[in-house]
Amino acid sequence: MTDPMTGAQSLVKALEATGTDTIFGIPGGAILPAYDPLFDSRQLRHILVRHEQGAGHAAEGYAAATGRVGVCMATSGPGATNLVTPIADAYMDSVPIVAVTGQVPSSAIGTDAFQEADIRGITMPITKHNFLVTDPDLIPRTIAEAFHIAASGRPGPVLVDISKDALQATTTFRWPESLDLPGYRPTTRPHAKQVREAARLIVEARRPVLYVGGGVIRARAADQLRALAELTGLPVVTTLMARGAFPDTHPQHLGMPGMHGTVAAVGALQQSDLIIALGARFDDRVTGRLDSFAPNAAVIHADIDPAEIGKNRQADVPIVGDAAETIGDLVATLRAEAELGKVGDYAAWWDVLNRLRSTYPLGYDTPDDGTLAPQYVISRLGALSGPDAIIAAGVGQHQMWAAQFIDYEKPGTWLNSGGLGTMGFAVPAAMGAKVGRPDATVWAVDGDGCFQMTNQELATCALNDIPIKVAVINNSSLGMVRQWQTLFYDSRYSNTDLHTSADQVRIPDFAKLADAYGCVGLRCETVADVDATLEKALAVNDRPVVIDFVVHKDAMVWPMVAAGTGNDEIQFARDMAPDWDKDEL
Ligand SMILES: Cc1ncc(C[n+]2csc(CCOP(=O)(O)OP(=O)(O)O)c2C)c(N)n1
């Protein structure tokens, strides 16, 4: 029990009690009472963003880079609805964030009051849970529950909508000593019998593969995964969300599966007799046509969320539990089996996989007109920045190249919008990551289309000492859409030209734009300048840097499994498919 205070003061105290240190947000009428005591908090750093979408993605970037809950704040109505995209994004990619929104006074709720939006109703299907608080006494408990729900089990976004009168009313602060949430008790301990059954299948399999998803990163289970892989000798594929969960340079890593995955990773899943899915959800971008996906594979499916198991693909051995615990138990069980001489024999399988990876390595064409290959730029960016750099990507071709051509060695170094595919994610996510990990080099690898959706946060970065680096892979078009137009719409480029590079009109000029935002603006158009420009950017640490890399606009992302087709139809270059008969055993 404490002295009487306002609901707003109680909210600030509650946020402090959760250990929060940073809030990204924008004030407005309904949330204004909360901003007053926030002004006095010595623990909470509020970062004033330029658009609420930026606040939401920054909270995601902060959460993904640190493993802690990211926090964003907005006012009612348009402030809250601007958070919808990042909330949906966090839901799809299981990112723990708490969004606090102001709501119109409780007496006005339901009257179409000024700046009223039913944000609870709107976000119902895209939050792990959401609350509307109209009683000031309930603010601390609700905040405590929101953080607990966001961070535990399968992480995700939680929204706390608080009416203005609750923020203004007098209350006392009572922090709950314990939380009892009937109906919410995530299963974290895997079932021993299921783990034993999984171990048996792994030892007996001839063509097994570890299909690793983003859950392994969220569960911080990379060490356990490595132990499992090295104990068993199993091949590993890491999905777009799991890049960094297993070192790219590890000899057992076959790369990324899916629509733009490596032939070896896609082929490994297709031809396997046992898929061990760890924190992965058989997303359509990974499976291609489900009815022809991995036709001969039995499935062990381990996930913290029971709703994922059997959703897209029947599981022969379902295991519900935390990935770190599940993989840890699998290691212990398989080690005991190995001591009894029971180990898998995957030598013939590795012959197939090694042949696939040497026959179909990732590659790209160098343009013969002297223009820059985007893949080259991105691979140099990765090489010069090193394995500790954090890379946040936008959505499109540059995202896929950043997933393919940068080696990720550590979890938490690759941030992207995998599930929702949100253009505009990169700059604010990089901002959030840099706030959470100020000592890390943080890049946003962005497209010229994506960058124009959220680059206003450069102002936030410049003013708040958040020196991120942005590489705009400027192909002067909505490149990924243009690629589909090239391949599937007879090269009819309807509404994909953005006019952002020199042979056209260069609107906007990204280097000048960066300058206008108080950042260093650089441009690079030739192979000879790539390393020097990157080095220059890496040397700037007192303010944000933007490099406009003007690249060849006809570069395409390969390999590709076209939407609606099966993984067997993967092409490693245009009209070039693997010869599966020859490449199989
Ligand atoms: C908010 C949003 N709108 C539209 C799309 C559809 N879309 C996917 S990729 C893409 C093009 C992205 O262009 P750019 O940022 O220039 O990246 P590039 O593909 O050229 O690397 C579009 C429009 C999307 N994913 N997100």
Side-chain angles (χ1 to χ4, degrees), residues 29 47 50 61 110 126 171 212 257 260 272 280-281 285 353 399 412 504:
I47 295 177
R50 294 297 178 271
I126 52 163
T171 182
V212 175
H260 294 297
S272 73
R281 58 188 177 85
R285 283 299 191 262
L353 299 173
Q399 172 193 28
Q504 306 178 15

Side-chain angles (χ1 to χ4, degrees), residues 62 76 112 236 279 285 419 433 463 473 488 535 541 544 549 562:
Y62 176 99
S76 65
D112 294 338
V236 180
R285 283 299 191 262
L463 288 167
I473 309 301
F488 312 123
E535 301 280 16
N541 288 310
F549 281 108

Side-chain angles (χ1 to χ4, degrees), residues 395-398 421-423 447-450 453 475 477-481 498:
V395 169
Q397 292 181 308
H398 62 283
T422 308
M423 288 175 70
D448 43 308
C450 292
M453 291 200 177
N475 54 12
S477 59
L478 297 169
M480 186 57 98
V481 181
L498 291 173

Side-chain angles (χ1 to χ4, degrees), residues 29 183 242 275 283 303 324 399 413 418 431 447 465 467 551 569:
I275 290 175
D283 176 65
D303 206 286
Q399 172 193 28
T413 55
M431 172 170 80
D465 189 23
V551 300
E569 293 162 75

Side-chain angles (χ1 to χ4, degrees), residues 156-357:
V158 178
L159 175 111
V160 182
D161 196 28
I162 311 177
S163 66
K164 186 170 186 178
D165 54 318
L167 291 171
Q168 288 169 320
T170 302
T171 182
T172 46
F173 178 81
R174 233 177 264 147
W175 190 244
E177 268 158 33
S178 64
L179 294 177
D180 180 30
L181 302 174
Y184 180 70
R185 291 199 182 92
T187 303
T188 53
R189 286 291 309 144
H191 201 290
K193 186 167 147 275
Q194 300 298 88
V195 172
R196 277 199 304 275
E197 182 59 9
R200 187 182 68 77
L201 289 190
I202 290 171
V203 172
E204 286 174 4
R206 284 285 167 268
R207 296 177 156 222
V209 56
L210 288 169
Y211 159 37
V212 175
V216 170
I217 294 200
R218 297 285 180 259
R220 293 181 228 193
D223 290 346
Q224 289 84 344
L225 171 66
R226 188 169 181 152
L228 175 64
E230 291 183 346
L231 172 71
T232 56
L234 288 164
V236 180
V237 302
T238 54
T239 68
L240 181 65
M241 289 309 297
R243 311 287 293 115
F246 192 69
D248 269 335
T249 53
H250 196 289
Q252 284 166 248
H253 199 175
L254 301 175
M256 178 172 77
M259 179 175 268
H260 294 297
T262 63
V263 173
V266 172
L269 288 173
Q270 276 313 92
Q271 298 179 23
S272 73
D273 65 358
L274 178 67
I275 290 175
I276 305 126
L278 303 170
R281 58 188 177 85
F282 295 88
D283 176 65
D284 55 86
R285 283 299 191 262
V286 166
T287 63
R289 275 186 63 152
L290 258 180
D291 56 8
S292 60
F293 173 67
N296 302 316
V299 170
I300 297 166
H301 193 170
D303 206 286
I304 186 84
D305 183 354
E308 284 301 343
I309 292 174
K311 185 181 83 177
N312 292 332
R313 171 76 181 232
Q314 188 63 34
D316 299 278
V317 180
I319 309 177
V320 177
D322 172 77
E325 299 206 27
T326 302
I327 302 171
D329 284 7
L330 263 176
V331 170
T333 310
L334 284 160
R335 195 168 278 140
E337 296 277 295
E339 276 160 18
L340 298 173
K342 290 191 206 161
V343 289
D345 175 7
Y346 317 130
W349 181 217
W350 271 112
D351 286 344
V352 176
L353 299 173
N354 284 331
R355 202 156 60 237
L356 278 180
R357 59 174 165 188

